[in-house]
C-alpha cells in the first residue's frame, strides 16, 4: 500500500515536473468552440512558447465533473456564467488578477461587472462571448418586422410558429410575454395561461438549427424562437430569408466566460491565453473562418466589418437595453419547469 | 425415471457450450444495465454534488401522484394497439400471398421489398416521411397533380403522421412472423377443407387463421412493446401532439438529468406491458 502511494506520488511529481518545464496549457471547453481552432492554437504557441492541450466537455455537468475529478490538471476552463455559482460553491475556480489581462479593459462594462462572475469583490470569470435566445422571423411572412413578442400569439400565425421543446426556454418565453423577469418568475399561473394560448399556434418544436432552417426553406413557419448566432448563420451562410427580432418585452441572454481552475500549474499562461481569446486578431479570424457569437470585447467587435451580423444586428443599442441575462437555474427548478411544460403540452391536445 | 434424469443432465452438459455465449452476452448486455437502472430508479438524486443520495420509492410514487403520467401512458397504449392492429390488417394478407400464392423468383422479389426498410437507418426513414407528408411535400404535390380539384394535404406534425411512421417501421415484423407460421401450414389441409365443401372464407376462418395465430401473436408482441415506448417517431413526426410516455422518459434522461424518475417511469411501463401480456395470454391461448 505504502509502496504504491510512494510510486504514485513519485509519478505525480515527475509529471508535474515535466509539465512545469514544457509549460503545457490545458484548456477545457466545448469542442469546436473557438479555443480549439487550429489557427488559434498555432498563433498562441508561436506567441508564448506554451503548448496548448485541448480537452472537451459535452455538457455543463460534465465540465464540472472534470474539474472535480482532475484537480490541478486544467489551467483554463470555459464556464457559462449561469454555472459559475456552482463552480464557486465547490471551490473549483480561483480569483483572477484582471490587471494581468491587458484586453480586460475592452470588455463591455456591464458584462465584466456581472454579479455572476464577481463575488465579494473578486473576479472569477472573464466574459468572452454572449448571445441571445430570442425571436427570428421568416422575411416572406412580414412586410415590416414585428416589434412585440406577442406577435407569436396572433391568430394570423396559427400553425406557423415554432419554439424549442425545452422547458426552461418555454417558461422564460412565457415570463417575457407576461412582463416578468426570466430569472424570477413570480406568477407561474400567468405563464401557464400564456403558453396554453400559444400552443395552438405552434406547428412543431424545433430541436436543431437544421430543423429551423428547413422549415423556413420550405416556408412552413412565419416566426419562432431562435438563437442569435443561428439566425445570423441562416442569413449569411445559407442565404435564407431569416431576420432576428429583439422584441420590446426583452430577450434571454447567455454569457460565456473564462475561468482559471483551482490548483492550475500555469496561471501565467492561462492569463495570456484569456488575453489572446479577447483580442481582435483572434476574434475577427474566428468570425470570418467559422462564424462566432458576439465577443464580450467591444474592441474585438469593432474590428469586424461594418455590415457583419455581430456588429450591425447584435451591436444595436436596443439589444443591450432589452437583454435579460440568464441566471443559474437549480435542478429542482428545472424539474419543476419540465413538469409544468409537459402538463401544458399534454393538456393542449 | 432415473435413466431419463441422467440423460437430461447429460443433455444439459452438452448444451452448455452452445448456450453459454448467448446467455453470457445477455447477462452482460441486458441484465447488468437493467439492474443498474433498478438501482437508479430507487435513488433520491443522481447529482454528484449531493453526497447524501439515499434509497426511496418516491420516484414510483410520482407516477401515481400526478395524473399526467397515467394520461400519457394510456395514450401510448392506445397508440400501440392502433399501430399493432393496422400492422395485422395490412401485414397478414401480404404474408398470406407470399406464403401461399407466390412461388420462386416472384416470392424472393416481393420478400426483398418487405425487408428493404430494414436496410436503412430508422432515423433516415422517419425524416424521409417528413418530406412526403408535409404541405407542399411529395404526397401533396402528387395528389394535386392527379386530382381535378385543389386539396391541401398536410399530415405532418399530427397523430396520423406518427401512426404512419410507426406502421412503416414495424410492418416487416408482422409480415415475417405471419409468413413463417403460414408457410408451415400444409397445403393439403387447405385442399381438404375445400374438397369437403368449405368456402374460401370458412377455410380461412376455421383452418388457416387458427394455425397462423401464433405468428400473428408473436408479431403483435414484437410491435406493441416497442411502439408503447417509442419516442423518436412521435418527437419528429408528431409536432406539438407528439408528447407521449416515451418522450417524457427521454426528457428525464436528456433534459433534466433526472435519471431516477426516468428509470422508475421505464419500469412502470415494463410492468404494465408485462401485465397486459400476462392477462391476455390465457384468453389468446383459448382462442388459439
Amino acid at each position: 500500500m505504502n509502496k504504491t502511494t510512494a510510486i504514485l506520488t513519485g509519478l505525480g511529481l515527475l509529471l508535474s515536473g515535466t509539465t512545469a518545464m514544457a509549460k503545457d496549457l490545458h484548456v477545457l471547453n466545448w469542442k469546436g468552440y473557438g479555443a480549439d481552432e487550429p489557427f488559434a492554437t498555432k498563433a498562441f504557441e508561436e506567441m508564448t512558447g506554451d503548448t496548448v492541450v485541448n480537452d472537451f466537455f459535452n455538457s455543463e455537468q460534465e465540465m464540472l465533473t472534470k474539474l472535480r475529478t482532475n484537480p490541478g490538471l486544467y489551467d483554463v476552463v470555459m464556464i457559462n456564467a449561469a454555472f459559475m455559482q456552482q463552480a464557486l460553491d465547490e471551490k473549483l475556480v480561483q480569483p483572477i488578477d484582471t490587471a494581468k489581462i491587458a484586453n480586460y479593459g475592452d470588455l463591455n462594462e456591464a458584462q465584466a461587472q456581472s454579479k455572476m462572475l464577481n463575488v465579494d469583490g473578486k473576479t472569477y470569470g472573464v466574459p468572452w462571448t454572449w448571445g441571445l435566445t430570442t425571436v427570428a422571423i421568416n422575411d416572406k411572412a412580414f412586410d415590416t418586422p414585428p416589434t412585440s413578442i406577442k406577435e407569436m400569439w396572433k391568430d394570423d400565425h396559427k400553425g406557423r410558429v415554432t419554439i424549442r421543446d425545452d422547458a426552461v426556454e418555454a417558461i422564460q418565453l412565457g415570463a417575457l410575454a407576461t412582463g416578468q423577469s426570466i430569472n424570477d418568475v413570480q406568477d407561474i399561473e400567468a405563464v401557464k395561461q400564456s403558453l396554453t394560448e400559444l400552443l395552438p399556434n405552434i406547428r412543431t418544436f424545433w430541436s436543431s438549427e437544421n430543423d429551423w432552417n428547413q422549415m423556413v426553406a420550405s416556408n412552413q413557419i412565419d416566426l419562432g424562437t431562435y438563437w442569435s448566432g443561428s439566425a445570423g448563420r441562416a442569413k449569411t451562410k445559407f442565404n435564407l430569408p431569416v431576420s432576428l427580432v429583439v422584441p420590446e418585452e426583452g430577450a434571454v441572454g447567455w454569457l460565456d466566460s473564462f475561468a482559471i481552475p483551482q490548483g492550475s500549474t500555469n496561471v501565467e499562461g492561462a492569463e495570456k491565453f484569456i488575453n489572446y481569446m479577447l483580442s481582435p486578431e483572434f476574434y475577427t479570424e474566428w468570425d470570418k473562418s467559422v462564424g462566432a457569437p458576439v465577443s464580450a470585447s467591444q474592441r474585438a467587435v469593432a474590428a469586424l466589418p461594418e455590415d457583419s451580423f455581430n456588429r450591425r444586428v447584435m451591436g444595436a443599442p436596443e439589444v443591450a437595453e432589452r437583454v435579460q441575462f440568464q441566471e443559474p437555474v437549480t435542478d429542482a427548478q428545472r424539474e419543476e419547469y419540465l413538469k409544468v411544460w409537459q402538463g401544458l403540452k399534454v393538456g393542449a391536445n | 425415471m432415473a435413466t431419463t434424469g441422467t440423460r437430461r443432465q447429460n443433455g444439459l452438459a452438452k448444451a452448455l457450450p452452445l448456450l453459454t455465449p448467448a446467455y453470457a452476452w445477455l447477462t452482460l448486455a441486458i441484465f447488468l444495465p437493467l439492474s443498474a437502472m433498478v438501482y437508479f430508479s430507487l435513488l433520491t438524486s443522481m447529482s454528484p454534488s449531493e453526497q447524501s443520495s439515499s434509497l426511496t420509492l418516491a420516484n414510483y410514487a410520482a407516477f401515481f401522484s400526478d395524473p399526467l403520467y397515467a394520461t400519457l401512458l394510456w395514450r401510448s397504449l392506445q397508440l400501440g394497439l392502433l399501430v399493432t392492429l393496422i400492422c395485422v390488417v395490412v401485414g397478414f394478407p401480404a404474408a398470406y400471398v407470399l406464403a401461399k400464392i407466390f412461388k420462386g423468383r416472384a416470392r424472393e422479389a416481393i420478400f426483398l421489398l418487405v425487408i428493404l426498410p430494414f436496410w436503412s437507418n430508422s432515423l433516415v426513414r422517419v425524416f424521409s416521411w417528413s418530406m412526403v407528408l408535409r404541405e407542399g411535400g411529395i404526397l401533396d404535390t402528387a395528389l394535386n397533380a392527379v386530382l381535378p380539384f385543389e386539396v391541401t394535404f398536410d399530415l405532418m406534425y399530427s397523430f396520423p403522421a406518427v401512426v404512419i411512421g410507426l406502421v412503416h417501421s414495424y410492418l416487416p415484423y408482422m409480415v415475417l412472423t405471419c409468413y413463417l407460421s403460414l408457410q408451415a401450414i400444409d397445403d393439403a389441409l387447405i385442399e381438404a377443407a375445400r374438397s369437403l365443401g368449405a368456402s374460401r372464407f370458412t377455410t380461412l376462418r376455421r383452418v388457416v387463421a387458427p394455425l397462423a395465430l401464433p405468428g400473428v401473436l408473436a408479431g403483435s408482441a414484437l410491435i406493441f412493446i416497442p411502439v408503447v415506448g417509442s419516442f423518436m417517431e412521435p418527437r419528429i413526426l408528431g409536432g406539438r401532439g407528439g408528447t407521449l410516455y416515451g418522450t417524457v422518459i427521454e426528457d428525464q434522461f436528456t433534459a433534466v438529468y433526472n435519471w431516477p424518475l426516468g428509470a422508475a417511469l421505464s419500469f412502470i411501463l415494463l410492468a404494465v406491458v408485462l401485465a397486459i401480456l400476462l392477462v391476455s395470454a390465457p384468453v389468446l391461448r383459448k382462442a388459439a
Side-chain angles (χ1 to χ4, degrees):
Chain A
M1 196 65 188
N2 273 333
K3 211 180 244 173
T4 334
T5 327
I7 293 173
L8 280 178
T9 323
L11 269 177
L13 280 175
L14 204 69
L15 276 174
S16 58
T18 45
T19 324
M21 271 189 291
K23 286 273 187 189
D24 276 358
L25 186 79
H26 292 261
V27 181
L28 184 60
N29 190 3
W30 299 96
K31 194 169 172 59
Y33 192 37
D36 61 332
E37 291 301 329
F39 81 84
T41 308
K42 191 160 161 273
F44 180 75
E45 287 177 354
E46 275 170 12
M47 203 159 59
T48 60
D50 284 4
T51 311
V52 178
V53 183
N54 283 296
D55 195 1
F56 308 109
F57 55 83
N58 291 304
S59 70
E60 266 92 6
Q61 296 304 332
E62 190 185 344
M63 177 266 295
L64 292 170
T65 307
K66 283 196 162 173
L67 290 183
R68 277 182 209 118
T69 50
N70 303 295
L73 174 64
Y74 300 109
D75 302 303
V76 178
V77 59
M78 202 295 295
I79 301 187
N80 183 305
F83 285 84
M84 185 61 86
Q85 188 60 46
Q86 200 174 345
L88 270 177
D89 288 345
E90 298 186 35
K91 300 192 167 46
L92 297 172
V93 291
Q94 55 173 292
I96 298 171
D97 183 358
T98 55
K100 299 231 177 90
I101 298 172
N103 292 332
Y104 190 81
D106 302 332
L107 291 176
N108 173 311
E109 187 67 19
Q111 287 170 2
Q113 296 306 321
S114 163
K115 62 183 186 326
M116 290 186 278
L117 304 177
N118 299 278
V119 179
D120 297 336
K122 286 179 189 150
T123 300
Y124 290 91
V126 177
W128 180 38
T129 53
W130 62 279
L132 299 175
T133 302
T134 180
V135 176
I137 58 167
N138 176 355
D139 292 339
K140 287 186 192 155
F142 294 91
D143 293 328
T144 50
T147 54
S148 167
I149 207 165
K150 288 300 233 180
E151 186 75 24
M152 292 169 69
W153 273 257
K154 284 192 183 159
D155 282 341
D156 311 357
H157 305 300
K158 197 166 181 61
R160 296 187 62 83
V161 175
T162 185
I163 65 175
R164 201 159 79 93
D165 191 3
D166 178 283
V168 176
E169 273 190 33
I171 301 286
Q172 289 178 341
L173 175 69
L176 285 177
T178 52
Q180 304 189 60
S181 154
I182 59 157
N183 293 312
D184 184 21
V185 181
Q186 294 287 339
D187 190 355
I188 191 83
E189 287 308 317
V191 170
K192 278 190 195 173
Q193 180 61 32
S194 165
L195 290 173
T196 308
E197 286 161 17
L198 175 66
L199 276 165
N201 273 12
I202 304 277
R203 180 174 182 82
T204 188
F205 302 111
W206 63 278
S207 55
S208 69
E209 214 174 294
N210 183 51
D211 285 352
W212 216 102
N213 294 348
Q214 290 272 334
M215 283 190 283
V216 166
S218 54
N219 200 23
Q220 296 186 79
I221 52 165
D222 291 344
L223 77 170
T225 57
Y226 209 15
W227 296 322
S228 55
S230 307
R233 261 191 298 278
K235 194 170 186 81
T236 53
K237 291 235 146 117
F238 303 112
N239 281 321
L240 290 167
V242 174
S243 296
L244 194 76
V245 173
V246 182
E248 56 211 12
E249 289 88 350
V252 180
W254 50 263
L255 180 62
D256 278 342
S257 73
F258 277 119
I260 303 180
Q262 196 70 258
S264 156
T265 50
N266 190 2
V267 175
E268 195 189 329
E271 288 160 353
K272 283 185 197 153
F273 188 77
I274 296 171
N275 195 46
Y276 174 64
M277 284 286 121
L278 292 174
S279 68
E281 303 84 64
F282 164 75
Y283 183 63
T284 48
E285 181 64 29
W286 184 23
D287 197 43
K288 194 177 81 184
S289 58
V290 199
V294 196
S295 175
S297 161
Q298 288 165 329
R299 192 160 67 93
V301 174
L304 291 176
E306 204 149 321
D307 61 338
S308 72
F309 177 83
N310 282 335
R311 190 169 161 191
R312 190 175 49 82
V313 181
M314 299 297 284
E318 64 264 24
V319 171
E321 280 163 31
R322 292 173 183 173
V323 59
Q324 294 188 29
F325 278 97
Q326 156 127 39
E327 281 168 24
V329 181
T330 63
D331 286 350
Q333 228 169 358
R334 205 177 282 276
E335 280 164 27
E336 175 59 31
Y337 285 175
L338 180 66
K339 219 163 159 205
V340 170
W341 179 228
Q342 283 171 343
L344 289 174
K345 283 195 291 177
V346 172
N349 53 91
Chain B
M1 280 289 272
T3 40
T4 12
T6 4
R7 200 179 300 146
R8 205 171 280 158
Q9 257 174 8
N10 273 343
L12 191 66
K14 275 183 197 150
L16 218 54
L18 299 176
L19 286 176
T20 312
Y23 277 83
W25 175 249
L26 285 177
T27 313
L28 205 70
I30 294 172
F31 184 70
L32 288 182
L34 218 56
S35 319
M37 277 294 156
V38 172
Y39 174 67
F40 288 153
S41 76
L42 295 170
L43 285 180
T44 46
S45 155
M46 286 278 292
S47 172
S49 55
E50 292 162 47
Q51 301 297 335
S52 58
S53 191
S54 57
L55 295 180
T56 174
L57 282 172
N59 297 311
Y60 290 90
F63 176 85
F64 298 98
S65 65
D66 193 333
L68 170 72
Y69 299 116
T71 316
L72 284 167
L73 182 56
W74 175 235
R75 199 179 283 174
S76 286
L77 290 172
Q78 283 175 316
L79 175 73
L81 272 180
L82 182 64
V83 170
T84 311
L85 205 70
I86 295 176
C87 283
V88 173
V89 171
V90 177
F92 188 82
Y96 185 81
V97 170
L98 271 173
K100 292 294 169 207
I101 296 175
F102 279 126
K103 297 273 185 290
R105 266 286 153 81
R107 178 188 287 179
E108 279 170 30
I110 301 284
F111 223 114
L112 194 73
L113 290 178
V114 172
I115 302 177
L116 211 58
F118 274 159
W119 292 358
S120 60
N121 179 287
S122 56
L123 201 61
V124 173
R125 293 199 297 252
V126 175
F127 273 115
S128 60
W129 273 113
S130 71
M131 268 187 275
V132 175
L133 294 176
R134 70 155 195 258
E135 188 185 346
I138 297 168
L139 202 59
D140 191 26
T141 316
L143 275 178
N144 277 320
V146 176
L147 293 174
F149 47 90
E150 192 75 6
V151 285
T152 24
F153 192 83
D154 183 16
L155 274 180
M156 193 58 193
Y157 309 127
S158 65
F159 188 72
V162 177
V163 175
I164 290 171
L166 285 168
V167 167
H168 174 228
S169 293
Y170 289 102
L171 187 62
Y173 290 103
M174 185 56 80
V175 176
L176 290 177
T177 53
C178 287
Y179 171 81
L180 288 177
S181 60
L182 282 167
Q183 206 201 20
I185 299 173
D186 195 341
D187 283 345
L189 287 175
I190 299 169
E191 282 160 23
R194 293 288 285 147
S195 70
L196 288 170
S199 69
R200 276 179 196 281
F201 181 69
T202 314
T203 317
L204 179 71
R205 194 168 59 85
R206 301 285 299 273
V207 180
V208 178
L211 287 171
L213 196 61
V216 177
L217 292 181
S220 301
L222 279 180
I223 294 169
F224 180 74
I225 296 169
V227 167
V228 173
S230 63
F231 58 88
M232 187 181 72
E233 291 87 352
R235 206 177 269 285
I236 297 172
L237 298 173
R240 68 187 168 85
T243 306
L244 286 167
Y245 199 71
T247 60
V248 167
I249 294 177
E250 192 206 0
D251 277 342
Q252 298 301 337
F253 281 94
T254 58
V256 293
Y257 305 102
N258 193 352
W259 283 34
L261 182 57
L265 292 177
S266 307
F267 282 110
I268 289 170
L269 174 65
L270 187 66
V272 169
V273 168
L274 281 179
I276 291 172
L277 292 182
L278 278 178
V279 168
S280 53
V283 182
L284 294 169
R285 203 177 298 134
K286 203 175 279 172

